[in-house]
Amino acid sequence: MSKQKRERNVLAFTGATALAVIAVNFAITAFKRRHKKKGSLDASIYLQGSIVRVNLSAAEILKLADKIVSKSKEVHDAVASVPLDKVTFMNVISPLAELEAQQFPLVQSCVFPKLVCTSDDVCKSSAEAERKIDAHMLSCSNREDVYRVVKAVAATGEWVSPEAKRYIQSLVRDFERSGLNLTISKREEVQRLRDQIDELSLQYVRNLNDDKTFLLFSEADLLGLPPEFLKSLDKAENGIFKVTLKSHHVAAVLELCKCAFEPLKVGRTRRLVAVAYGKRCGGINLSVLESLVELRHKFARLLGYSNYADYALDLRMAKSSSKHFLEALFGYAIIIQQDLVFEFLEEISASLTDLASRELLMLKDLKRKEEGELPFGIEDLLYYVRRVEELQFDLDFGAVKQYFPVNLVLSGIFKVFQDLFGLRFEEVLDAVVWHSDVRVFSVFDLSSNDLLGYFYLDIYKREGKYAHTCVVALQNGALSSTGARQIPVALLISQIQKDIVGHPSLLRFSEVVNFFHEFGHVVQQICNRASFARFSGLRVDPDFVEIPAQLLENWCYESFSLKLISGFHQDITTPIKDEICKSLKRRRYAFSALKLKQEILYCIFDQIIHSADNVDIVELFKHLHPKVMLGLPMLEGTNPASCFPRSAIGFESACYSRIWSEVFAADIFACKFRDGLLNQRVGMQFRNNVLAPGGSKEPIEILSDFLGREPSIQAFVDSRAECSL
């Protein structure tokens, strides 16, 4: 591409007028891409430094998967053949590291098509390739011959660098978490337990998904719910409405359903739905969860851990010590491991108690005015939070949406991220893509003009495409043994409605926040400079991975940055109004203390059952609920443990992690960015000292070095208090 052509596509402007220009250019470029002459794809270019393959056919995906498995087996066999007295970093560790770096983008080339492709054959081949590669990776993790030579290298103490030492230790740890340091009989037991745990976890979720329970209500019982919601409901033969226990039905009823006019039916619908929702799969899933917890403890102890929480936290920032003691946790005496997570959750909960109490009193007062002297229950929470927000905030989200045309939002986000982190985005107009809506951008360092990486944008709605907004790492950065750097590549997927004539594509405010969050992950992927692919981009400590993205959500609530990413769709030079900005910021943390208390309740429950033996799960929840929720009792007859999938699969003993990362993100924002939203000096410090190391250093060390002190919860607590009603 010529220098003149590159300069025409550079997105690095300043000022409100320039932002309008950039948005128009953004839209025009997108239009040109969608209207290229037929056959112009022949002139398309592949991305320099990227080995990600796009537009693979179903047959090509399966063929590539076979090549991946074959090459991996070849390298593992070669490494395993090294005599134990001849092992070195270069003949054992380096080949494994290079294999990981080179194969990750090829694996992703096989896997990501099922997220974006509309061809059934391609999606099926992508899923089949993923299963084949996963099965091979599992077999590699159980190769005792490879484990022996890696362990032999670790024993030599031959560290090329601190990062190399960390890499070797991670290899050894992963092998040993698969049980390769155990006897064969114990190893077989580990695998048997793992299989049982996987099956029970899936069974718990299947039971919830298969639940067909519904409740019958008249139109009068559903007072307050919008007509479009009522139209979406199935009806029984007598014409009354069927409300299922799927989350979108339950949330609508609990948030919108008003009290009925009859005195005896005040709040009845909300309560009936809340009780039924809390009873789902009560008997069967309670038994499944009890068995799951018991098996997890056995599994962890076979691997040398005290309990399952100890095993789960070993890979996270919130690592445990080995000391045990009798803990009176919210008055519930159990023998547990001294755990940083318990300390963290208790401190957050205690710090929010006064604010949460004031919030609850406000809700109780409003219910008393609207429904009389009836007790306030947990089923009233969503409805009265919404009622207070209606009364306190003059926010019409339909009107707010008019200020967020998608092209303007994207160009504004681009400007913020470029200015803050010293980057330059440049569109690659002729890159090979899988759909005409997909756009590709190069990312350069603004100062040196070095190419840092690429990202794909696939944001418009298509049938059969993955339904949520997310970022997928397609290629991780890494250094080869020759010193050449492999550059990172990211993909941002969303499902935004495209512009149609007379109807510009407008984003809901929640979608704007999601875009800021996910662009945080894009920059996290691109700006990483770790030497090993294993530590690159999004492959960091799971307690750390969300911190950069959650940090960057703050820009959506500050007037200065909101005006940069907004403009009335009929005149984009007219930014969002100051009073709207202020209301959005105040509403962000409205009743946040009470909501967090509820989340903390589930986190503590999850942590206790995975830290202690023989816990009565039903009694534990009954005990914790009023202690954490300021006296609000659990709904009679319900058992939240039977319908809490996060503790069954995916986040077991890690439910705390979202709050954990949000606390650290709040600390970073208050300490470093609140008084300089586009301060490039601080932004570059964050890029170089937090994003660049990735997983190559301990996260707590990275954050402490950046902040100049240990992280604190105070900014998190203060931010909630500042926005209290």
Side-chain angles (χ1 to χ4, degrees):
M1 191 181 290
S2 67
K3 180 180 179 183
Q4 290 81 5
K5 190 171 182 181
R6 286 201 308 270
E7 289 174 349
R8 285 200 301 271
N9 291 290
V10 170
L11 298 177
F13 296 80
T14 57
T17 303
L19 192 61
V21 172
I22 196 177
V24 172
N25 182 61
F26 203 90
I28 290 172
T29 305
F31 179 84
K32 286 180 176 179
R33 290 194 69 265
R34 291 198 295 268
H35 294 81
K36 289 189 295 184
K37 291 181 180 179
K38 190 174 181 180
S40 62
L41 195 62
D42 295 338
S44 296
I45 61 170
Y46 287 89
L47 304 180
Q48 177 188 353
S50 170
I51 57 175
V52 177
R53 301 181 187 179
V54 302
N55 278 343
L56 294 178
S57 68
E60 288 170 333
I61 288 172
L62 294 176
K63 186 176 180 181
L64 178 57
D66 288 337
K67 286 183 177 179
I68 289 168
V69 170
S70 176
K71 179 63 177 177
S72 174
K73 187 175 185 308
E74 176 189 325
V75 172
H76 280 85
D77 287 347
V79 167
S81 69
V82 178
L84 293 180
D85 60 346
K86 302 290 185 184
V87 298
T88 66
F89 181 90
M90 292 307 296
N91 64 16
V92 172
I93 305 302
S94 185
L96 293 175
E98 297 225 4
L99 178 72
E100 195 171 356
Q102 292 164 8
Q103 290 215 313
F104 180 78
L106 300 180
V107 171
Q108 295 299 78
S109 299
C110 292
V111 172
F112 92 87
K114 68 186 175 71
L115 301 176
V116 298
C117 188
T118 56
S119 162
D120 286 342
D121 287 343
V122 169
C123 289
K124 287 177 183 176
S125 291
S126 178
E128 183 181 340
E130 184 176 26
R131 286 192 294 270
K132 184 180 294 186
I133 293 167
D134 281 350
H136 171 71
M137 296 301 183
L138 179 61
S139 70
C140 290
S141 70
N142 287 310
R143 287 196 58 159
E144 187 177 4
D145 51 355
V146 178
Y147 167 64
R148 281 200 305 267
V149 294
V150 170
K151 185 82 169 175
V153 175
T156 68
E158 181 195 347
W159 316 124
V160 176
S161 66
E163 188 177 346
K165 177 181 179 179
R166 188 173 176 85
Y167 179 73
I168 296 170
Q169 290 172 335
S170 75
L171 290 176
V172 172
R173 180 198 63 206
D174 287 354
F175 278 124
E176 294 183 351
R177 284 172 71 89
S178 294
L180 292 191
N181 57 328
L182 303 178
T183 63
I184 292 177
S185 61
K186 286 187 176 181
R187 202 180 307 167
E188 290 172 348
E189 176 69 1
V190 165
Q191 188 56 51
R192 186 183 67 81
L193 289 170
R194 193 193 301 273
D195 291 341
Q196 288 180 296
I197 288 167
D198 289 345
E199 176 54 36
L200 284 173
S201 298
L202 292 173
Q203 183 62 52
Y204 185 102
V205 175
R206 276 198 300 267
N207 292 338
L208 289 173
N209 290 339
D210 293 344
D211 183 73
K212 305 300 182 187
T213 305
F214 61 86
L215 303 178
L216 296 174
F217 294 107
S218 68
E219 188 168 352
D221 292 329
L222 300 174
L223 184 68
L225 288 155
E228 57 269 24
F229 176 80
L230 297 180
K231 287 178 183 177
S232 72
L233 298 177
D234 292 331
K235 290 185 178 180
E237 291 180 2
N238 57 2
I240 60 177
F241 295 98
K242 292 182 177 181
V243 174
T244 73
L245 298 183
K246 301 304 178 185
S247 58
H248 62 290
H249 280 190
V250 173
V253 171
L254 294 184
E255 187 175 334
L256 300 171
C257 192
K258 298 180 179 179
C259 56
F261 293 117
E262 298 91 333
L264 296 179
K265 290 188 176 181
V266 172
R268 171 179 170 271
T269 301
R270 292 196 305 269
R271 185 172 184 84
L272 285 174
V273 170
V275 169
Y277 190 68
K279 283 183 173 180
R280 287 175 303 151
C281 305
I284 187 169
N285 268 2
L286 181 61
S287 174
V288 170
L289 185 60
E290 287 172 341
S291 297
L292 256 179
V293 171
E294 183 181 352
L295 291 174
R296 283 172 179 161
H297 285 317
K298 287 181 180 178
F299 172 80
R301 284 167 185 149
L302 268 175
L303 294 174
Y305 296 91
S306 301
N307 51 53
Y308 190 80
D310 193 15
Y311 167 82
L313 295 177
D314 192 41
L315 296 179
R316 294 173 171 269
M317 288 174 71
K319 292 181 177 66
S320 307
S321 70
S322 58
K323 182 180 177 183
H324 291 69
F325 67 112
L326 181 67
E327 173 67 66
L329 189 69
F330 290 98
Y332 193 85
I334 53 173
I335 299 290
I336 62 170
Q337 186 172 28
Q338 186 172 358
D339 195 326
L340 181 59
V341 174
F342 283 119
E343 182 183 333
F344 169 79
L345 292 171
E346 286 191 271
E347 187 177 5
I348 293 289
S349 184
S351 299
L352 294 172
T353 293
D354 288 346
L355 178 56
S357 298
R358 294 197 299 272
E359 292 173 351
L360 181 58
L361 183 61
M362 187 182 299
L363 298 181
K364 286 180 175 179
D365 287 345
L366 183 57
K367 179 172 180 175
R368 192 176 300 112
K369 290 176 184 176
E370 294 197 353
E371 298 187 23
E373 296 296 330
L374 288 172
F376 187 95
I378 198 71
E379 73 276 11
D380 296 315
L381 191 59
L382 286 178
Y383 177 78
Y384 280 101
V385 164
R386 184 177 178 277
R387 286 288 294 122
V388 173
E389 288 177 352
E390 287 176 341
L391 296 170
Q392 294 283 344
F393 304 115
D394 184 20
L395 272 177
D396 177 353
F397 279 99
V400 171
K401 186 177 180 179
Q402 308 301 311
Y403 287 92
F404 295 114
V406 63
N407 284 324
L408 183 61
V409 171
L410 287 174
S411 60
I413 289 174
F414 276 27
K415 174 176 170 51
V416 169
F417 278 69
Q418 288 175 117
D419 288 357
L420 184 61
F421 297 118
L423 303 172
R424 176 168 61 84
F425 300 160
E426 179 178 309
E427 184 160 14
V428 184
L429 291 179
D430 297 316
V432 175
V433 292
W434 51 92
H435 191 276
S436 59
D437 287 340
V438 179
R439 307 178 68 181
V440 188
F441 293 85
S442 305
V443 181
F444 297 91
D445 178 77
L446 189 61
S447 177
S448 68
N449 211 36
D450 289 341
L451 176 65
L452 300 179
Y454 301 97
F455 65 88
Y456 292 83
L457 286 185
D458 187 356
I459 63 172
Y460 293 112
K461 188 172 289 187
R462 284 196 306 278
E463 191 68 31
K465 184 178 155 190
Y466 184 67
H468 304 286
T469 302
C470 69
V471 169
V472 179
L474 295 182
Q475 179 168 295
N476 282 340
L479 275 180
S480 71
S481 57
T482 63
R485 176 163 286 279
Q486 179 172 285
I487 61 173
V489 182
L491 161 63
L492 194 158
I493 301 172
S494 192
Q495 282 275 39
I496 302 300
Q497 184 63 50
K498 288 171 62 174
D499 288 341
I500 56 177
V501 177
H503 297 280
S505 178
L506 302 174
L507 296 177
R508 298 190 301 272
F509 181 69
S510 60
E511 292 174 322
V512 174
V513 176
N514 279 345
F515 266 116
F516 243 96
H517 179 102
E518 297 304 334
F519 260 99
H521 285 312
V522 170
V523 170
Q524 185 179 7
Q525 171 73 6
I526 299 297
C527 292
N528 185 276
R529 306 297 286 172
S531 299
F532 292 88
R534 175 171 291 220
F535 302 140
S536 180
L538 305 180
R539 297 187 69 181
V540 296
D541 187 307
D543 283 344
F544 181 82
V545 69
E546 291 296 328
I547 291 175
Q550 288 191 331
L551 165 69
L552 287 154
E553 287 182 22
N554 287 285
W555 274 252
C556 297
Y557 297 94
E558 301 295 329
S559 294
F560 173 78
S561 44
L562 264 178
K563 289 176 184 292
L564 285 177
I565 63 173
S566 66
F568 190 65
H569 69 94
Q570 293 176 335
D571 177 11
I572 61 174
T573 62
T574 303
I576 196 166
K577 298 174 183 177
D578 287 328
E579 54 267 30
I580 295 178
C581 296
K582 291 175 183 176
S583 292
L584 287 171
K585 185 171 183 177
R586 288 184 62 225
R587 185 182 180 277
R588 181 187 189 187
Y589 294 134
F591 297 98
S592 60
L594 204 50
K595 294 172 186 175
L596 274 162
K597 281 275 193 180
Q598 196 167 22
E599 186 173 355
I600 287 169
L601 164 67
Y602 282 86
C603 294
I604 292 172
F605 168 81
D606 171 64
Q607 209 63 27
I608 288 177
I609 64 174
H610 288 109
S611 298
D613 289 310
N614 303 317
V615 175
D616 186 325
I617 289 177
V618 175
E619 288 303 313
L620 174 62
F621 231 116
K622 283 183 181 178
H623 177 85
L624 287 177
H625 200 286
K627 294 285 186 181
V628 180
M629 292 303 297
L630 307 173
L632 288 180
M634 210 168 74
L635 280 169
E636 190 66 34
T638 63
N639 184 18
S642 68
C643 44
F644 179 37
R646 285 170 63 88
S647 197
I649 188 168
F651 291 90
E652 57 274 17
S653 196
C655 292
Y656 71 89
S657 189
R658 192 203 66 80
I659 302 175
W660 178 278
S661 55
E662 194 174 340
V663 165
F664 288 126
D667 195 17
I668 293 169
F669 181 73
C671 178
K672 294 290 187 177
F673 290 104
R674 184 162 55 190
D675 297 327
L677 294 174
L678 292 184
N679 186 327
Q680 194 173 104
R681 180 184 63 81
V682 177
M684 288 298 294
Q685 288 175 354
F686 185 78
R687 175 183 145 187
N688 293 329
N689 300 325
V690 178
L691 299 182
S696 65
K697 294 171 65 177
E698 286 292 336
I700 197 69
E701 178 186 342
I702 290 173
L703 293 182
S704 297
D705 288 348
F706 178 67
L707 293 168
R709 55 168 171 76
E710 289 187 359
S712 164
I713 72 164
Q714 197 57 49
F716 177 83
V717 174
D718 290 347
S719 65
R720 272 71 187 160
E722 287 169 7
C723 295
S724 61
L725 297 173

